[in-house]
Amino acid sequence: VMRLGKSPEGFRMFLAGGTALDEPQKFLGTSVEVRVDGAAKDLVAKSVEAGWEAHFVIAYGDISQSVKALCRWLDIPVYEY
């Protein structure tokens, strides 16, 4: 799960690991239910407190190392949840 967001200091990247669940779609449009690697309650609380915008991107497969390398190259801080 990831999101390129903005803060007063500039761009920032949200990263969280998880597993896409094989569940019926609950909303119209493109959506997926994800079981995050940590406690969902903690992830939601921390991300809301940090002011992350709504809507996230899901990548199938672990691309976190590539995303972190790109962010280092572009000088974008990464926040892992």
Coordinates of all heavy atoms in Angstrom, one line a residue:
V1 N 0.9 -1.2 0.0 CA 0.0 0.0 0.0 C 0.9 1.2 0.0 O 1.9 1.3 0.8 CB -0.9 0.0 1.3 CG1 -1.8 1.2 1.3 CG2 -1.7 -1.3 1.4
M2 N 0.6 2.2 -0.9 CA 1.5 3.4 -0.9 C 0.7 4.6 -1.3 O -0.4 4.5 -1.9 CB 2.7 3.1 -1.8 CG 2.4 2.9 -3.2 SD 3.9 2.5 -4.1 CE 3.2 1.4 -5.4
R3 N 1.3 5.7 -1.0 CA 0.7 7.0 -1.5 C 1.8 8.0 -1.5 O 2.6 8.2 -0.5 CB -0.4 7.5 -0.5 CG -0.7 8.9 -0.8 CD -2.1 9.3 -0.3 NE -2.3 10.7 -0.8 CZ -3.1 11.0 -1.8 NH1 -3.8 10.1 -2.3 NH2 -3.3 12.2 -2.1
L4 N 1.9 8.7 -2.6 CA 2.8 9.9 -2.7 C 1.9 11.1 -2.2 O 0.9 11.4 -2.9 CB 3.2 10.1 -4.1 CG 4.2 11.3 -4.3 CD1 5.4 11.2 -3.5 CD2 4.5 11.5 -5.8
G5 N 2.3 11.6 -1.1 CA 1.5 12.7 -0.5 C 2.3 14.0 -0.4 O 3.5 14.1 -0.9
K6 N 1.7 15.0 0.1 CA 2.3 16.3 0.2 C 2.2 16.8 1.7 O 1.2 16.6 2.3 CB 1.7 17.3 -0.7 CG 2.6 17.7 -1.9 CD 2.2 18.8 -2.6 CE 3.4 19.7 -2.8 NZ 3.2 20.8 -3.6
S7 N 3.2 17.4 2.1 CA 3.2 18.1 3.4 C 3.7 19.5 3.2 O 4.2 19.8 2.1 CB 4.2 17.3 4.4 OG 5.5 17.5 4.0
P8 N 3.7 20.3 4.3 CA 4.2 21.7 4.1 C 5.7 21.7 3.6 O 6.1 22.6 3.0 CB 4.1 22.3 5.5 CG 2.9 21.6 6.1 CD 3.1 20.2 5.6
E9 N 6.4 20.6 3.9 CA 7.8 20.6 3.6 C 8.1 20.0 2.1 O 9.2 20.1 1.6 CB 8.6 19.7 4.6 CG 8.7 20.2 6.0 CD 7.4 20.0 6.7 OE1 6.7 19.0 6.5 OE2 7.1 20.8 7.6
G10 N 7.0 19.5 1.5 CA 7.2 18.9 0.2 C 6.6 17.5 0.1 O 5.7 17.2 0.9
F11 N 7.0 16.7 -0.9 CA 6.5 15.4 -1.1 C 6.9 14.5 0.0 O 7.9 14.6 0.6 CB 6.9 14.8 -2.4 CG 6.3 15.5 -3.6 CD1 7.0 16.3 -4.4 CD2 4.9 15.3 -3.9 CE1 6.4 17.0 -5.5 CE2 4.3 15.9 -5.0 CZ 5.1 16.8 -5.8
R12 N 6.1 13.4 0.2 CA 6.4 12.3 1.2 C 5.7 11.1 0.7 O 4.8 11.1 -0.1 CB 5.9 12.7 2.6 CG 4.4 12.9 2.7 CD 4.0 13.4 4.0 NE 2.5 13.5 4.1 CZ 1.8 13.5 5.2 NH1 2.5 13.5 6.4 NH2 0.5 13.7 5.2
M13 N 6.3 9.9 1.0 CA 5.8 8.6 0.6 C 5.3 7.8 1.8 O 6.1 7.6 2.7 CB 6.9 7.9 -0.2 CG 6.5 6.5 -0.7 SD 5.1 6.5 -1.9 CE 6.0 7.2 -3.3
F14 N 4.1 7.3 1.7 CA 3.5 6.3 2.6 C 3.7 4.9 2.1 O 3.4 4.7 0.9 CB 2.0 6.6 2.7 CG 1.2 5.7 3.6 CD1 0.8 6.1 4.8 CD2 0.9 4.4 3.1 CE1 0.0 5.3 5.6 CE2 0.1 3.6 3.9 CZ -0.3 4.0 5.2
L15 N 4.2 4.0 2.9 CA 4.4 2.6 2.6 C 3.9 1.7 3.7 O 4.2 2.0 4.8 CB 5.9 2.3 2.3 CG 6.5 2.7 1.0 CD1 8.0 2.3 1.0 CD2 5.8 2.1 -0.2
A16 N 3.1 0.7 3.3 CA 2.7 -0.3 4.3 C 2.5 -1.6 3.6 O 2.1 -1.7 2.4 CB 1.3 0.1 4.9
G17 N 3.0 -2.7 4.2 CA 2.9 -4.0 3.6 C 1.6 -4.6 4.0 O 0.9 -4.3 5.0
G18 N 1.2 -5.6 3.2 CA -0.1 -6.3 3.5 C -0.4 -7.3 2.4 O 0.4 -7.6 1.5
T19 N -1.6 -7.9 2.6 CA -2.0 -9.0 1.6 C -3.4 -8.6 1.1 O -4.3 -8.4 1.9 CB -2.0 -10.3 2.4 OG1 -0.7 -10.6 2.9 CG2 -2.5 -11.5 1.4
A20 N -3.6 -8.7 -0.2 CA -4.9 -8.5 -0.8 C -5.7 -9.7 -0.5 O -5.3 -10.8 -0.7 CB -4.8 -8.2 -2.3
L21 N -6.9 -9.5 0.0 CA -7.8 -10.6 0.3 C -8.8 -10.9 -0.9 O -9.2 -10.0 -1.6 CB -8.6 -10.2 1.6 CG -7.8 -9.9 2.8 CD1 -8.7 -9.5 3.9 CD2 -6.9 -11.1 3.2
D22 N -9.1 -12.1 -1.0 CA -10.0 -12.6 -2.1 C -11.5 -12.5 -1.5 O -12.0 -13.4 -1.0 CB -9.7 -14.0 -2.5 CG -10.5 -14.4 -3.7 OD1 -11.2 -13.6 -4.3 OD2 -10.6 -15.7 -4.0
E23 N -12.0 -11.2 -1.5 CA -13.3 -10.9 -0.9 C -14.1 -10.3 -2.0 O -13.6 -9.6 -2.9 CB -13.1 -9.9 0.2 CG -12.3 -10.5 1.4 CD -13.1 -11.5 2.2 OE1 -14.4 -11.4 2.2 OE2 -12.5 -12.3 2.9
P24 N -15.5 -10.4 -1.9 CA -16.3 -9.7 -2.9 C -16.1 -8.2 -2.8 O -15.9 -7.6 -1.7 CB -17.7 -10.1 -2.4 CG -17.6 -11.3 -1.5 CD -16.2 -11.2 -1.0
Q25 N -16.2 -7.5 -3.9 CA -16.0 -6.1 -3.9 C -17.1 -5.4 -3.2 O -18.3 -5.6 -3.4 CB -16.0 -5.6 -5.4 CG -15.5 -4.2 -5.5 CD -15.2 -3.8 -7.0 OE1 -15.5 -4.6 -7.9 NE2 -14.7 -2.6 -7.2
K26 N -16.8 -4.5 -2.2 CA -17.8 -3.8 -1.4 C -18.2 -2.5 -1.9 O -19.2 -1.9 -1.4 CB -17.2 -3.7 0.0 CG -17.1 -5.1 0.7 CD -16.6 -4.9 2.1 CE -16.5 -6.2 2.8 NZ -15.5 -7.2 2.5
F27 N -17.5 -1.9 -2.9 CA -17.8 -0.6 -3.4 C -17.8 -0.6 -4.9 O -17.2 -1.4 -5.5 CB -16.7 0.4 -2.9 CG -16.5 0.5 -1.4 CD1 -15.5 -0.2 -0.8 CD2 -17.4 1.1 -0.6 CE1 -15.3 -0.2 0.5 CE2 -17.2 1.2 0.8 CZ -16.2 0.5 1.4
L28 N -18.5 0.4 -5.5 CA -18.4 0.6 -6.9 C -17.0 1.1 -7.3 O -16.4 1.8 -6.5 CB -19.5 1.5 -7.4 CG -20.9 1.0 -7.3 CD1 -21.9 2.1 -7.7 CD2 -21.1 -0.3 -8.1
G29 N -16.5 0.8 -8.4 CA -15.2 1.3 -8.8 C -14.1 0.3 -8.5 O -14.4 -0.9 -8.3
T30 N -12.9 0.8 -8.4 CA -11.8 -0.1 -8.2 C -11.4 -0.1 -6.7 O -11.1 0.9 -6.1 CB -10.5 0.3 -9.0 OG1 -10.9 0.4 -10.3 CG2 -9.4 -0.6 -8.8
S31 N -11.6 -1.2 -6.0 CA -11.2 -1.3 -4.6 C -10.8 -2.7 -4.3 O -11.1 -3.7 -5.0 CB -12.4 -0.9 -3.7 OG -13.5 -1.8 -3.9
V32 N -10.1 -2.9 -3.2 CA -9.6 -4.2 -2.7 C -9.5 -4.1 -1.2 O -9.3 -3.1 -0.6 CB -8.3 -4.6 -3.3 CG1 -7.2 -3.6 -2.9 CG2 -7.9 -6.0 -3.0
E33 N -9.8 -5.2 -0.5 CA -9.7 -5.3 0.9 C -8.3 -5.9 1.2 O -7.8 -6.8 0.6 CB -10.7 -6.2 1.5 CG -10.8 -6.2 3.0 CD -12.1 -6.8 3.5 OE1 -13.1 -6.9 2.8 OE2 -12.0 -7.3 4.7
V34 N -7.6 -5.2 2.1 CA -6.2 -5.6 2.4 C -6.0 -5.9 3.9 O -6.5 -5.1 4.8 CB -5.2 -4.4 2.1 CG1 -3.8 -4.7 2.5 CG2 -5.3 -4.1 0.6
R35 N -5.3 -7.0 4.2 CA -4.9 -7.3 5.6 C -3.5 -6.7 5.7 O -2.6 -7.2 5.1 CB -5.0 -8.8 5.9 CG -4.5 -9.1 7.3 CD -4.5 -10.6 7.6 NE -5.8 -11.1 7.6 CZ -6.2 -12.1 6.8 NH1 -5.4 -12.7 6.0 NH2 -7.5 -12.5 6.9
V36 N -3.4 -5.7 6.5 CA -2.0 -5.1 6.6 C -1.2 -5.9 7.5 O -1.7 -6.7 8.3 CB -2.1 -3.6 7.2 CG1 -2.8 -2.7 6.1 CG2 -2.8 -3.5 8.5
D37 N 0.2 -5.8 7.4 CA 1.1 -6.6 8.2 C 1.0 -6.3 9.7 O 1.2 -7.2 10.4 CB 2.5 -6.3 7.6 CG 2.8 -6.9 6.3 OD1 2.0 -7.8 5.8 OD2 3.7 -6.5 5.6
G38 N 0.8 -5.1 10.1 CA 0.7 -4.8 11.5 C -0.7 -4.7 11.9 O -1.6 -5.2 11.3
A39 N -1.0 -4.1 13.0 CA -2.3 -3.9 13.5 C -3.0 -2.8 12.7 O -2.5 -1.6 12.7 CB -2.3 -3.5 15.0
A40 N -4.2 -3.1 12.2 CA -4.9 -2.1 11.3 C -5.3 -0.9 12.1 O -5.2 0.3 11.6 CB -6.1 -2.7 10.7
K41 N -5.7 -1.1 13.4 CA -6.1 0.1 14.2 C -4.9 1.1 14.4 O -5.1 2.3 14.3 CB -6.5 -0.5 15.6 CG -7.0 0.6 16.5 CD -7.5 -0.1 17.8 CE -8.0 1.0 18.8 NZ -8.5 0.4 20.0
D42 N -3.7 0.5 14.6 CA -2.5 1.4 14.8 C -2.2 2.1 13.5 O -1.9 3.3 13.5 CB -1.3 0.6 15.2 CG -1.4 0.0 16.6 OD1 -2.3 0.6 17.4 OD2 -0.7 -0.9 16.9
L43 N -2.3 1.4 12.3 CA -2.0 2.0 11.0 C -2.9 3.2 10.8 O -2.5 4.3 10.4 CB -2.1 1.0 9.9 CG -1.7 1.5 8.5 CD1 -1.0 0.5 7.7 CD2 -2.9 2.0 7.8
V44 N -4.2 3.0 11.0 CA -5.2 4.0 10.8 C -5.0 5.2 11.7 O -4.9 6.4 11.3 CB -6.7 3.5 11.0 CG1 -7.7 4.6 10.9 CG2 -7.0 2.5 9.9
A45 N -4.8 4.9 13.0 CA -4.5 6.0 13.9 C -3.3 6.9 13.6 O -3.4 8.1 13.5 CB -4.4 5.5 15.4
K46 N -2.2 6.2 13.3 CA -1.0 6.9 13.0 C -1.1 7.7 11.6 O -0.6 8.8 11.5 CB 0.2 5.9 12.9 CG 0.6 5.4 14.3 CD 1.7 4.3 14.1 CE 2.0 3.7 15.5 NZ 3.0 2.7 15.4
S47 N -1.7 7.1 10.6 CA -1.8 7.8 9.4 C -2.7 9.0 9.4 O -2.5 10.0 8.8 CB -2.2 6.8 8.2 OG -3.5 6.3 8.5
V48 N -3.8 8.9 10.2 CA -4.7 10.0 10.4 C -4.0 11.1 11.2 O -4.1 12.3 10.8 CB -6.0 9.6 11.1 CG1 -6.9 10.8 11.5 CG2 -6.8 8.7 10.1
E49 N -3.3 10.7 12.2 CA -2.6 11.7 13.0 C -1.5 12.5 12.2 O -1.3 13.6 12.4 CB -1.9 11.1 14.2 CG -2.8 10.7 15.3 CD -2.1 9.8 16.4 OE1 -0.9 9.7 16.4 OE2 -2.9 9.3 17.2
A50 N -0.9 11.7 11.2 CA 0.1 12.3 10.4 C -0.5 13.1 9.2 O 0.2 13.8 8.5 CB 1.0 11.2 9.8
G51 N -1.8 13.1 9.1 CA -2.5 13.9 8.0 C -2.4 13.4 6.6 O -2.4 14.1 5.7
W52 N -2.3 12.0 6.5 CA -2.2 11.5 5.1 C -3.6 11.6 4.4 O -4.6 11.5 5.0 CB -1.9 10.0 5.2 CG -0.4 9.8 5.5 CD1 0.2 9.6 6.7 CD2 0.7 9.9 4.5 NE1 1.5 9.5 6.6 CE2 1.9 9.7 5.3 CE3 0.7 10.2 3.2 CZ2 3.1 9.8 4.7 CZ3 2.0 10.2 2.6 CH2 3.2 10.0 3.3
E53 N -3.5 12.0 3.1 CA -4.7 12.2 2.3 C -5.3 10.8 2.1 O -4.7 9.8 2.2 CB -4.3 12.8 1.0 CG -3.5 14.1 1.1 CD -2.0 13.9 1.1 OE1 -1.5 12.9 1.6 OE2 -1.3 14.8 0.7
A54 N -6.6 10.8 1.7 CA -7.3 9.6 1.4 C -6.9 9.0 0.0 O -6.3 9.7 -0.7 CB -8.8 9.9 1.4
H55 N -7.2 7.8 -0.2 CA -6.9 7.1 -1.4 C -5.5 6.7 -1.6 O -4.6 7.5 -1.5 CB -7.4 7.8 -2.7 CG -8.9 8.1 -2.7 ND1 -9.3 9.4 -2.3 CD2 -9.9 7.4 -2.9 CE1 -10.6 9.4 -2.3 NE2 -11.0 8.2 -2.7
F56 N -5.3 5.4 -1.7 CA -4.0 4.8 -1.7 C -3.8 3.9 -3.0 O -4.8 3.5 -3.6 CB -3.7 4.0 -0.5 CG -3.7 4.8 0.8 CD1 -4.8 5.2 1.4 CD2 -2.4 5.3 1.3 CE1 -4.8 6.0 2.5 CE2 -2.4 6.1 2.4 CZ -3.6 6.5 3.0
V57 N -2.6 3.6 -3.3 CA -2.3 2.7 -4.4 C -1.9 1.4 -3.9 O -1.2 1.3 -2.9 CB -1.1 3.3 -5.2 CG1 -0.7 2.3 -6.3 CG2 -1.5 4.7 -5.8
I58 N -2.3 0.3 -4.6 CA -2.0 -1.0 -4.2 C -1.1 -1.6 -5.3 O -1.4 -1.5 -6.5 CB -3.2 -1.9 -4.1 CG1 -4.2 -1.4 -3.1 CG2 -2.9 -3.4 -3.7 CD1 -3.8 -1.3 -1.7
A59 N 0.0 -2.2 -4.9 CA 0.9 -2.9 -5.9 C 0.9 -4.3 -5.5 O 1.0 -4.7 -4.3 CB 2.3 -2.3 -5.8
Y60 N 0.7 -5.2 -6.5 CA 0.7 -6.6 -6.2 C 2.2 -7.1 -6.3 O 2.8 -6.9 -7.4 CB -0.2 -7.3 -7.3 CG -1.6 -7.1 -7.0 CD1 -2.3 -6.1 -7.6 CD2 -2.3 -7.9 -6.0 CE1 -3.7 -5.9 -7.3 CE2 -3.6 -7.7 -5.8 CZ -4.3 -6.7 -6.4 OH -5.7 -6.5 -6.1
G61 N 2.7 -7.5 -5.2 CA 4.1 -7.9 -5.1 C 4.8 -6.8 -4.3 O 4.3 -5.7 -4.1
D62 N 5.9 -7.2 -3.8 CA 6.7 -6.3 -2.9 C 7.6 -5.4 -3.7 O 8.7 -5.9 -4.2 CB 7.4 -7.1 -1.8 CG 8.1 -6.2 -0.8 OD1 8.1 -4.9 -1.0 OD2 8.8 -6.7 0.1
I63 N 7.2 -4.2 -4.0 CA 8.1 -3.3 -4.7 C 8.7 -2.2 -3.8 O 9.2 -1.2 -4.3 CB 7.3 -2.6 -5.9 CG1 6.1 -1.8 -5.4 CG2 6.8 -3.7 -6.8 CD1 5.5 -0.8 -6.4
S64 N 8.6 -2.4 -2.5 CA 9.0 -1.4 -1.5 C 10.5 -1.0 -1.7 O 10.8 0.2 -1.5 CB 8.7 -1.9 -0.1 OG 9.5 -3.1 0.2
Q65 N 11.4 -1.9 -2.0 CA 12.8 -1.6 -2.1 C 13.0 -0.6 -3.3 O 13.8 0.3 -3.2 CB 13.7 -2.8 -2.2 CG 13.7 -3.7 -1.0 CD 14.0 -2.9 0.3 OE1 15.0 -2.1 0.3 NE2 13.2 -3.1 1.3
S66 N 12.3 -0.9 -4.4 CA 12.4 0.0 -5.6 C 11.8 1.4 -5.3 O 12.3 2.4 -5.7 CB 11.6 -0.6 -6.8 OG 12.2 -1.8 -7.1
V67 N 10.7 1.4 -4.6 CA 10.0 2.7 -4.2 C 11.0 3.5 -3.3 O 11.2 4.7 -3.5 CB 8.7 2.5 -3.6 CG1 8.1 3.8 -3.0 CG2 7.7 1.9 -4.6
K68 N 11.6 2.8 -2.3 CA 12.5 3.5 -1.4 C 13.7 4.0 -2.1 O 14.2 5.1 -1.9 CB 12.9 2.6 -0.3 CG 11.8 2.3 0.7 CD 12.3 1.6 1.9 CE 11.7 0.2 2.1 NZ 12.1 -0.5 3.3
A69 N 14.2 3.3 -3.1 CA 15.4 3.7 -3.9 C 15.0 4.9 -4.7 O 15.8 5.9 -4.7 CB 15.9 2.6 -4.8
L70 N 13.9 4.9 -5.3 CA 13.4 6.1 -6.1 C 13.3 7.3 -5.2 O 13.7 8.4 -5.5 CB 12.1 5.8 -6.8 CG 11.4 6.9 -7.5 CD1 12.3 7.4 -8.7 CD2 10.0 6.6 -8.0
C71 N 12.7 7.1 -4.0 CA 12.5 8.2 -3.0 C 13.8 8.8 -2.6 O 14.0 10.0 -2.4 CB 11.6 7.8 -1.9 SG 9.9 7.6 -2.3
R72 N 14.8 7.9 -2.3 CA 16.2 8.4 -2.0 C 16.7 9.2 -3.1 O 17.3 10.3 -2.8 CB 17.1 7.2 -1.7 CG 17.0 6.6 -0.3 CD 18.1 5.7 0.0 NE 18.3 4.6 -0.9 CZ 17.6 3.4 -0.9 NH1 16.7 3.2 0.1 NH2 17.8 2.5 -1.8
W73 N 16.6 8.8 -4.3 CA 17.1 9.5 -5.5 C 16.4 10.9 -5.6 O 17.1 11.9 -6.0 CB 16.9 8.6 -6.7 CG 17.5 9.2 -8.0 CD1 18.8 9.5 -8.2 CD2 16.8 9.5 -9.2 NE1 18.9 10.0 -9.5 CE2 17.7 10.0 -10.1 CE3 15.4 9.4 -9.5 CZ2 17.3 10.4 -11.4 CZ3 15.1 9.8 -10.8 CH2 16.0 10.3 -11.7
L74 N 15.1 10.9 -5.3 CA 14.4 12.2 -5.5 C 14.3 13.0 -4.2 O 13.6 14.0 -4.1 CB 12.9 11.8 -5.9 CG 12.8 11.2 -7.3 CD1 11.4 10.8 -7.6 CD2 13.3 12.2 -8.4
D75 N 15.0 12.5 -3.1 CA 15.0 13.2 -1.8 C 13.6 13.3 -1.2 O 13.2 14.4 -0.8 CB 15.7 14.5 -1.9 CG 16.1 15.0 -0.6 OD1 16.4 14.2 0.3 OD2 16.2 16.3 -0.4
I76 N 12.8 12.2 -1.3 CA 11.5 12.2 -0.7 C 11.5 11.3 0.5 O 11.9 10.1 0.4 CB 10.5 11.6 -1.8 CG1 10.4 12.6 -3.0 CG2 9.1 11.4 -1.1 CD1 9.5 12.1 -4.1
P77 N 11.1 11.8 1.7 CA 11.1 11.0 2.9 C 10.0 9.9 2.8 O 8.9 10.1 2.2 CB 10.7 12.0 4.0 CG 10.2 13.2 3.3 CD 10.6 13.2 1.9
V78 N 10.4 8.7 3.3 CA 9.5 7.5 3.3 C 9.0 7.3 4.7 O 9.8 7.2 5.6 CB 10.2 6.3 2.7 CG1 9.3 5.1 2.8 CG2 10.7 6.5 1.3
Y79 N 7.7 7.1 4.9 CA 7.1 6.8 6.1 C 6.5 5.4 6.0 O 5.6 5.1 5.3 CB 6.0 7.8 6.5 CG 6.6 9.2 6.7 CD1 6.8 10.0 5.6 CD2 7.0 9.6 7.9 CE1 7.3 11.3 5.7 CE2 7.5 10.9 8.1 CZ 7.7 11.7 7.0 OH 8.2 12.9 7.1
E80 N 7.1 4.4 6.8 CA 6.7 3.0 6.7 C 5.8 2.7 7.9 O 6.1 3.1 9.0 CB 7.8 2.1 6.7 CG 8.6 2.1 5.4 CD 9.7 1.1 5.4 OE1 9.3 -0.1 5.0 OE2 10.9 1.4 5.6
Y81 N 4.6 2.1 7.6 CA 3.7 1.8 8.6 C 3.5 0.3 8.7 O 3.7 -0.4 7.8 CB 2.3 2.4 8.3 CG 2.4 4.0 8.4 CD1 2.7 4.7 7.4 CD2 2.1 4.6 9.7 CE1 2.8 6.1 7.5 CE2 2.1 6.0 9.8 CZ 2.5 6.7 8.7 OH 2.6 8.1 8.8

